Amino acid sequence: MELTLSTCFVQVQDPDIALAFYRDTLGLEVRNDVANGGFRWITVGAAAQPGVSIVITNYLNGSPDDNDMIAALIAKGALNGVHFSADNLDAAFEKVRASGAEIVQEPTEQFWGTRDFAVRDPSGNLVRVGQPPAASS
């Protein structure tokens, strides 16, 4: 049996603001946008990976107390978002910085070999963008 990733979910507070970040700042394409009542499920993804999607949503199946708790955790940045790879980390960083997004970490060489940076989406989710080391000859 072989499993592959198809979809992951990122909890957000305001779908419109989150959409602007994931589409305009990160450059992901919008694949679907479904509204039901006050909730939205917006599917985005990288053009280079048509089989992998991220659903940004403000829907949480829980009690009002659960909703408040999750909203507080997101606002604190306690929930991790997603990690992306970039073929040009410096260009990606400059685009994100120019957008005014909250930079958590500027491009840094990590001890495991990847160079990456971290930013928060408008809801507080941590998003990392990395560039793996070049393959050695």
Side-chain angles (χ1 to χ4, degrees), residues 24-43:
D24 303 337
T25 301
L26 296 182
L28 300 178
E29 63 184 17
V30 177
R31 298 180 179 163
N32 200 8
D33 188 342
V34 177
N36 186 7
F39 301 110
R40 273 175 78 194
W41 295 262
I42 304 168
T43 305

Side-chain angles (χ1 to χ4, degrees), residues 67-122:
N67 292 341
D68 292 342
M69 185 179 304
I70 293 298
L73 288 171
I74 292 170
K76 286 175 153 181
L79 302 179
N80 285 315
V82 291
H83 291 216
F84 294 97
S85 290
D87 61 354
N88 185 333
L89 188 72
D90 293 321
F93 177 72
E94 288 307 323
K95 182 177 180 184
V96 170
R97 179 170 41 192
S99 78
E102 179 189 348
I103 303 297
V104 175
Q105 173 202 303
E106 293 195 5
T108 303
E109 293 287 338
Q110 300 296 351
F111 67 90
W112 57 87
T114 295
R115 184 167 176 257
D116 70 354
F117 69 86
V119 61
R120 292 208 188 282
D121 77 6

Side-chain angles (χ1 to χ4, degrees), residues 10-33:
V10 174
Q11 191 72 36
V12 299
Q13 295 166 347
D14 184 316
D16 288 320
I17 294 171
L19 175 59
F21 174 80
Y22 286 92
R23 179 194 59 211
D24 303 337
T25 301
L26 296 182
L28 300 178
E29 63 184 17
V30 177
R31 298 180 179 163
N32 200 8
D33 188 342

